[in-house]
Amino acid sequence: MKKILLGLMMFITILAMAGCKENEPDPDPDPDPDPDPVVIDFSEVYPNSGTYYQLFVRSFADSDGDGVGDFNGITEKLDYLNDLGINAIWLMPIHPSPTYHGYDVTDYYGVNSDYGTMADFENLLNEADAIGIDIIIDLVINHTSNQHPWFQGWLNGDTEYAGYYRKITTGDSRLDNNGAWGQNIWHSMSGGYYCGYFGSGMPDLNWSNPVVQTEMVNIAKYWIEKGVDGFRLDAALHLEGVNEVKPPTIPIDSTLLQLELFQYQIETEYPNIYIIGEIYDAFSVSSLFYQSMDSALNFEIGGEIIHALNAGFSTDYVSKIIRYNEIIDSYDNSGMDAPFLKNHDQDRMASILNGDTNKLKLAAEMLLTLPGNPFIYYGEELGMFGIKSYGPYWDETRRLPLPFGDEFTTSWFPDEFNTNLENISEQMTNPNSLYNTYKSILTLRNNSNALKYGDIFNYEDGDNVLLGYYRVFNYDADNQEIVLVLHNVSNGVYQLYFSDEEVLYYSDGIANFDGSIGPKSTLILRISNEMIGNFYGE
Ligand code: CA
């Protein structure tokens, strides 16, 4: 927080200084006008900052021809992710599990044999580390599989596991709350009911029992020692029973406290571990968790982007983005926003936007110019289609095989959604592909400290058909990088009036920029302090 506030104060100070600088002689000319520049590796200053790629192992890349994605497949395709401009990977659950998705773990210390061996996983960690790609893993802390030895032991009265799970007895008001709602959560067992918020196969752990906390901390440290760079905490909102009754009446304070203790025990020993939580709720709720973790996935931004693209304007997109970051900065823990378009629990962007490539490209440009750590769900860089509930299936069709177009393409599930989609090999060679938009904007972001780490300020006319914001990175009091990002979400063409700028990016290619910004396009300019506010008008 301090860093960002300081940046804002310096920014304002420099603006004030800029006005009077011209008329005043320099009283002390610099005796050494060309000192050797101090090269700072800002990736070490911001160790967990970057663009993350959410990867479903089963669907990503198959190395051994059995049709199922695996660790060695990811290792083989690290170059693909590196070329795209990805800085870190979030692996969806890698632990042994009876289900295809893995969100019901039976052994937190093992790896899913479908995906390979522990040696394969360690090799992936080493190879990714060698090219500077971090790996965080899903840690399913809210619940286990009902086949986990803890749950089986608890059911059987094994005293070692007493208190590991949550149980109520007949007559508890939670059971009957809102009828079916309570009965979907509480599942019959001998002598009462156990909590399974996500179904009877996924019993909720009892986080009020400190032993559960200790188990999870030990598990996290085990994976850190192997080289994992952080954790995405699944269903972190629900640890202490939030939303078990409707309307929610249980305060989330105890959950926040549990997560704060979890973070404290890990980050005191391993300060650079990245902890990001799934708080599947409005930002007003998820933002509370910045006191307990480094990031909380932002479930609002994707919807805001879709709304602006479909409406052709927005009255509050930029101001909302700025507000998100102000709130995050108000927590004193160097929190980073975690924007994303859609994830594995949601319909894919291409399905929502009817395959409109221009909208999909602009969505990518909007996402990847935002502050914080943007998350890309695998396949979004191709415009993959996928919606819920296809025939007898539920979420499988939102998690389909990534079409590499080579022998690594997985085949564990038939894909009838993307038969006409250009695969990766084709999109890489097509300069107008969505893939190449992702790559271009990521290349720009990776070469811009302003876009990677900078603060965000509203452009003077920041919400309209042109959504505009400055990204500003302060090196010191005299040096800063400023970029102006302008998204035209409308179908109109807008003439812009400015000079002495450097065009860093235009959707149709810098060579095609003629001073006006076309429909569903993004323009990014590098500018100087003196130019702020001088763009619009004639
Ligand atoms: Ca395989």
Side-chain angles (χ1 to χ4, degrees):
M1 177 188 76
K2 286 170 191 144
K3 193 166 49 208
I4 294 164
L5 270 185
L6 180 65
L8 175 59
M9 287 163 63
M10 284 167 60
F11 177 71
I12 292 166
T13 307
I14 289 162
L15 276 179
M17 286 165 60
C20 58
K21 206 172 180 180
E22 270 177 33
N23 299 329
E24 292 173 5
D26 189 341
D28 182 19
D30 191 341
D32 180 10
D34 295 309
D36 291 336
V38 178
V39 178
I40 299 172
D41 183 353
F42 286 100
S43 67
E44 291 184 8
V45 179
Y46 307 99
N48 297 316
S49 183
T51 301
Y52 285 69
Y53 190 86
Q54 180 192 352
L55 188 158
F56 183 39
V57 182
R58 189 172 298 278
S59 284
F60 187 69
D62 173 25
S63 70
D64 58 7
D66 68 354
V68 175
D70 46 52
F71 300 130
N72 289 338
I74 303 169
T75 304
E76 291 287 334
K77 290 296 187 182
L78 283 172
D79 284 346
Y80 167 73
L81 298 174
N82 201 32
D83 286 347
L84 180 59
I86 298 300
N87 311 116
I89 302 168
W90 153 23
L91 294 179
M92 289 165 63
I94 61 166
H95 304 117
S97 163
T99 59
Y100 86 95
H101 53 74
Y103 279 103
D104 46 346
V105 175
T106 54
D107 176 11
Y108 289 96
Y109 292 93
V111 294
N112 190 327
S113 59
D114 288 356
Y115 297 165
T117 65
M118 186 66 87
D120 295 337
F121 180 66
E122 289 167 348
N123 182 53
L124 167 59
L125 291 175
N126 290 334
E127 295 294 318
D129 188 57
I131 58 171
I133 289 183
D134 283 355
I135 291 184
I136 68 170
I137 61 172
D138 236 311
L139 197 58
V140 187
I141 59 172
N142 177 67
H143 52 265
T144 69
S145 165
N146 63 354
Q147 296 171 38
H148 194 287
W150 297 345
F151 187 69
Q152 288 300 317
W154 181 74
L155 278 185
N156 294 326
D158 186 335
T159 53
E160 189 181 350
Y161 303 112
Y164 266 54
Y165 295 86
R166 304 174 52 211
K167 184 178 180 180
I168 59 174
T169 52
T170 305
D172 191 299
S173 62
R174 284 171 285 183
L175 190 60
D176 298 319
N177 187 272
N178 274 15
W181 178 256
Q183 286 149 36
N184 284 338
I185 294 173
W186 297 97
H187 309 278
S188 180
M189 64 178 287
S190 172
Y193 303 84
Y194 69 91
C195 183
Y197 187 81
F198 296 97
S200 60
M202 303 186 196
D204 281 43
L205 287 160
N206 176 20
W207 274 77
S208 297
N209 180 355
V211 175
V212 169
Q213 167 96 237
T214 301
E215 289 275 16
M216 281 300 163
V217 169
N218 289 340
I219 288 161
K221 289 181 177 178
Y222 171 82
W223 291 103
I224 292 168
E225 287 296 329
K226 288 209 175 289
V228 162
D229 298 292
F231 304 97
R232 179 263 188 189
L233 304 181
D234 181 63
L237 174 62
H238 298 277
L239 302 189
E240 291 273 31
V242 168
N243 291 351
E244 267 168 29
V245 294
K246 271 193 169 184
T249 55
I250 299 174
I252 61 177
D253 295 21
S254 54
T255 301
L256 291 169
L257 208 59
Q258 297 288 4
L259 288 165
E260 202 166 346
L261 187 59
F262 178 83
Q263 180 190 38
Y264 175 81
Q265 292 176 84
I266 291 168
E267 293 192 346
T268 47
E269 196 171 339
Y270 306 97
N272 288 342
I273 291 299
Y274 185 48
I275 298 177
I276 176 168
E278 178 202 26
I279 312 297
Y280 201 155
D281 211 319
F283 185 79
S284 58
V285 174
S286 66
S287 57
L288 299 172
F289 286 76
Y290 276 89
Q291 63 190 281
S292 307
M293 49 184 61
D294 301 306
S295 293
L297 287 155
N298 189 323
F299 279 82
E300 288 193 358
I301 286 178
E304 297 292 338
I305 289 175
I306 290 166
H307 180 78
L309 289 173
N310 284 334
F313 72 96
S314 174
T315 56
D316 57 7
Y317 174 75
V318 176
S319 42
K320 275 184 177 167
I321 298 290
I322 289 171
R323 184 76 187 130
Y324 296 149
N325 283 277
E326 282 173 355
I327 290 170
I328 291 167
D329 292 346
S330 71
Y331 292 100
D332 191 12
N333 68 349
S334 302
M336 289 171 284
D337 199 4
F340 65 98
L341 297 175
K342 290 291 159 187
N343 72 15
H344 63 293
D345 289 324
Q346 300 169 320
D347 290 349
R348 282 187 176 274
M349 286 294 282
S351 296
I352 294 168
L353 296 174
N354 298 315
D356 185 326
T357 304
N358 290 330
K359 287 182 181 175
L360 291 169
K361 287 179 176 177
L362 184 47
E365 292 160 347
M366 293 171 79
L367 173 69
L368 297 172
T369 50
L370 291 176
N373 293 341
F375 279 69
I376 299 170
Y377 181 43
Y378 83 95
E380 291 295 278
E381 76 274 27
L382 306 178
M384 280 182 75
F385 293 83
I387 57 170
K388 190 175 190 167
S389 194
Y390 176 67
Y393 300 102
W394 192 246
D395 277 326
E396 285 89 336
T397 45
R398 294 161 156 172
R399 308 167 182 176
L400 291 166
L402 185 69
F404 270 107
D406 63 17
E407 71 275 17
F408 285 92
T409 306
T410 67
S411 58
W412 69 275
F413 196 90
D415 182 358
E416 296 174 17
F417 283 83
N418 296 290
T419 45
N420 295 322
L421 186 74
E422 279 193 339
N423 63 37
I424 286 176
S425 301
E426 292 163 341
Q427 293 208 24
M428 286 175 93
T429 57
N430 173 0
N432 297 318
S433 66
L434 181 60
Y435 165 88
N436 273 311
T437 291
Y438 269 87
K439 180 171 175 165
S440 298
I441 197 77
L442 281 170
T443 300
L444 179 67
R445 185 182 181 95
N446 285 331
N447 287 298
S448 166
N449 287 323
L451 288 174
K452 274 190 291 190
Y453 314 121
D455 305 328
I456 184 166
F457 301 95
N458 207 333
Y459 179 58
E460 60 176 318
D461 194 16
D463 280 312
N464 202 307
V465 293
L466 288 188
L467 308 182
Y469 42 90
Y470 300 104
R471 301 292 313 281
V472 180
F473 184 79
N474 295 293
Y475 292 94
D476 56 43
D478 299 318
N479 295 292
Q480 54 192 174
E481 180 190 343
I482 307 175
V483 301
L484 172 60
V485 180
L486 292 171
H487 304 295
N488 179 6
V489 294
S490 81
N491 293 322
V493 177
Y494 291 86
Q495 183 69 41
L496 300 170
Y497 301 92
F498 46 77
S499 58
D500 300 329
E501 80 298 337
E502 181 188 355
V503 179
L504 297 175
Y505 180 92
Y506 183 55
S507 298
D508 293 340
I510 293 174
N512 294 321
F513 180 67
D514 63 0
S516 61
I517 180 168
K520 298 280 185 287
S521 293
T522 292
L523 176 68
I524 303 177
L525 307 173
R526 186 194 303 277
I527 62 168
S528 64
N529 244 326
E530 292 76 10
M531 294 175 66
I532 288 181
N534 288 340
F535 293 91
Y536 241 3
E538 301 170 36

